[in-house]
Amino acid sequence: MRTILANNLENDTYVLTPDVRPTLPTPLLRAFQDSYQELVRFIARRTGSTHDARELAHDTWLRLAERAKSPQHGGETTPEPAARAYVYAVAENIAIDHLRRRRRGMERFAAAPHDHADESAAREHGTHDVADLCAHRQALDAVDAALRRLPQRSRDIFLADRLEGIGHAALAERYGVSIKTVERDVMRALDSIEAALHRWRGDAVPLRTGRRRALSTLLGIAGLSIGSAVLWQAWREWMPGYQGSLSTAIGRIRSQTLPDGSRLTLDADSRAEVTYYAARRTVQLLAGSVFFDVARDEARPFVVTALGHEITVLGTRFEAALQDGSLCVAVESGRVRVRNSNGEERFLGAGDGARIDASRQFTTAHPGEAAAVASWREGWLDFHHVPLGEVVSRLARYSPRPLRVEPDAASLPVFGRVNIAQAGTWLRLLPGSLPVQVREDQGNPQAIVIARRSPP
């Protein structure tokens, strides 16, 4: 039995379920099984991604299984050479459909060339309506007034964050405050600006609900000249064009495609906030693990922040994970720069990994030493000399029952691979490999407690 990701088409989430394969009575399914590894390499050469190739190979198997069940084809007997050729033809068609969907997704967010031409012509000839230009200036005056009403430190931190791109850790050190205070000052400035724009439009100022509307939408002036190129460029720099919050529940995995074609896959019990600006793309990892498949954009670096640390890329595939106050980074392809909150940097390539612990110290894994990147996407968790407390904390993301490790057993080292769908079985068998006992919590029968076993 292995574990697959079963797609829920309604909300683009995934549920980890056991994949129980039936016997393979037909030549098509037998040909698929015999040439599986070669078929994955075949698809990977066409898509450029081994991860996508495994998913598309699974889709191929489903297509063949549906054909075997079909009354129209169920009784057919296909010669072995023809069966293998048919399997590859189905796989190639599925790969072509995948590439077409991906290309359409990229084109959907690309501006039409004539739009830029029209915009340039309008700027050059000054053909915008005078009333519109006046209204835009009034809107920016409202923004400027809102910023002037802020305390000096809040205004300076906000402008340094949005115009200069200075990280929150550096700003906290510059002003002698905590990172939380810097984040609070930035949010305070954004709330003040949003309220000012609502008042400028004549709207009631809504209560903040956690998801802020794009301020360019409130202005209604995206892409229009406002008479001051410098002021407009500054506006585009500090005002986000896209914002979103992503989260997953326990036992759920979710994939989300972003406006630039980048794709984020969130592990169970994970949270992240995405904000895109004209000159940079940012994601704040708040909890759990995320696998990033970043679309390359030379003009806009992609920056992931977590616990005051930063990961900067242009286009690559990597995982960022929070665990017990540490940030772990593992690169599948491409190259990333990891900077801790003290300003120290490491550059990681394919197969490299790094960990920044709670004391902000780096630990790096060299090529060949790093475990498979984001193996939870395939339904597995790999542990190599990992404390039991951390292992159980990871398994808790998928367990319907609360899990807890007593302090006397938390430091026991764990080696091996855990099938997520069989995590309950793994816990029951744990006393056979470690000196522990697994029992129900006396105070909460729904919870499971792991404690060190007393010597006989």
Side-chain angles (χ1 to χ4, degrees):
M1 181 180 293
R2 67 183 184 92
T3 300
I4 63 170
L5 299 178
N7 191 5
N8 182 330
L9 297 177
E10 292 185 358
N11 55 14
D12 201 17
T13 60
Y14 295 83
V15 183
L16 289 162
T17 59
D19 173 22
V20 182
R21 287 195 181 182
T23 57
L24 304 177
T26 70
L28 291 177
L29 297 178
R30 190 179 302 112
F32 174 89
Q33 185 184 45
D34 293 342
S35 58
Y36 174 75
Q37 295 297 338
E38 184 181 346
L39 188 68
V40 170
R41 290 192 292 270
F42 171 80
I43 301 173
R45 287 194 295 270
R46 279 152 177 75
T47 63
S49 169
T50 302
H51 174 67
D52 288 346
R54 287 193 291 268
E55 291 187 350
L56 297 177
H58 182 252
D59 292 344
T60 302
W61 186 88
L62 292 176
R63 185 78 59 83
L64 297 172
E66 290 173 357
R67 177 184 174 88
K69 294 178 182 178
S70 170
Q72 182 179 358
H73 303 287
E76 294 182 0
T77 301
T78 309
E80 292 293 341
R84 188 173 186 275
Y86 184 85
V87 168
Y88 274 78
V90 171
E92 184 167 27
N93 289 336
I94 288 177
I96 291 172
D97 289 344
H98 169 77
L99 292 173
R100 286 172 176 167
R101 287 194 301 270
R102 187 166 65 185
R103 184 162 55 248
R104 284 197 297 268
M106 295 288 289
E107 292 171 352
R108 187 178 302 122
F109 299 102
H114 70 271
D115 292 341
H116 295 294
D118 290 347
E119 180 183 332
S120 299
R123 283 198 297 267
E124 181 178 352
H125 300 292
T127 57
H128 286 305
D129 188 88
V130 174
D132 288 341
L133 297 179
C134 181
H136 300 156
R137 293 193 185 96
Q138 291 174 355
L140 289 177
D141 287 343
V143 172
D144 182 64
L147 290 175
R148 290 180 184 278
R149 285 194 293 269
L150 291 172
Q152 182 71 36
R153 188 196 69 197
S154 297
R155 181 169 63 252
D156 291 346
I157 286 177
F158 174 76
L159 294 176
D161 172 68
R162 295 307 165 102
L163 291 180
E164 302 174 41
I166 300 176
H168 288 185
L171 289 173
E173 184 176 353
R174 174 189 292 185
Y175 291 96
V177 297
S178 67
I179 294 176
K180 288 292 185 184
T181 300
V182 171
E183 294 173 349
R184 189 163 52 247
D185 282 346
V186 172
M187 296 301 293
R188 179 180 183 181
L190 285 172
D191 288 339
S192 179
I193 292 171
E194 184 174 355
L197 289 176
H198 276 292
R199 287 192 291 268
W200 167 73
R201 286 166 54 102
D203 301 336
V205 178
L207 295 176
R208 183 160 178 245
T209 59
R211 177 172 291 187
R212 183 180 285 103
R213 290 178 62 187
L215 299 185
S216 59
T217 301
L218 292 173
L219 269 175
I221 61 175
L224 298 180
S225 171
I226 58 174
S228 171
V230 174
L231 189 56
W232 173 242
Q233 182 62 29
W235 172 262
R236 293 179 71 244
E237 288 287 342
W238 82 58
M239 290 298 110
Y242 169 85
Q243 286 181 297
S245 296
L246 305 176
S247 62
T248 52
I250 291 175
R252 296 276 180 168
I253 291 177
R254 175 185 179 184
S255 290
Q256 178 70 43
T257 300
L258 301 180
D260 64 336
S262 298
R263 189 168 182 83
L264 274 57
T265 304
L266 280 73
D267 193 9
D269 197 20
S270 300
R271 290 184 295 120
E273 291 186 352
V274 183
T275 309
Y276 275 21
Y277 303 92
R280 65 192 187 280
R281 303 166 288 172
T282 65
V283 176
Q284 184 176 13
L285 178 59
L286 302 174
S289 305
V290 178
F291 182 81
F292 298 86
D293 186 354
V294 180
R296 190 171 186 84
D297 187 340
E298 298 286 353
R300 291 193 302 171
F302 194 99
V303 180
V304 179
T305 61
L307 302 177
H309 315 304
E310 290 185 352
I311 308 165
T312 304
V313 303
L314 287 177
T316 188
R317 292 166 62 87
F318 69 99
E319 177 190 19
L322 294 177
Q323 186 72 40
D324 297 333
S326 299
L327 171 64
C328 300
V329 183
V331 181
E332 182 175 281
S333 64
R335 186 171 172 84
V336 306
R337 182 187 70 194
V338 183
R339 176 186 295 167
N340 68 9
S341 55
N342 292 331
E344 299 177 69
E345 293 183 353
R346 297 288 190 278
F347 289 89
L348 308 179
D352 292 342
R355 181 188 183 101
I356 306 175
D357 60 25
S359 61
R360 305 177 185 178
Q361 298 300 310
F362 267 105
T363 303
T364 56
H366 299 291
E369 296 179 6
V373 178
S375 57
W376 44 266
R377 293 175 295 157
E378 307 296 333
W380 295 91
L381 295 177
D382 294 306
F383 301 109
H384 301 279
H385 204 278
V386 178
L388 179 60
E390 185 174 327
V391 171
V392 173
S393 177
R394 283 290 284 112
L395 291 177
R397 296 184 189 176
Y398 312 96
S399 174
R401 303 178 65 179
L403 305 178
R404 180 168 60 86
V405 179
E406 296 287 3
D408 58 356
S411 61
L412 293 173
V414 175
F415 299 83
R417 203 172 199 218
V418 180
N419 184 323
I420 295 174
Q422 303 297 323
T425 301
W426 183 85
L427 286 173
R428 288 195 297 272
L429 297 176
L430 188 60
S433 57
L434 290 178
V436 297
Q437 57 177 336
V438 180
R439 55 178 172 78
E440 291 184 349
D441 191 344
Q442 295 179 352
N444 180 11
Q446 295 299 318
I448 297 176
V449 177
I450 303 171
R452 185 181 281 270
R453 186 170 58 240
S454 301

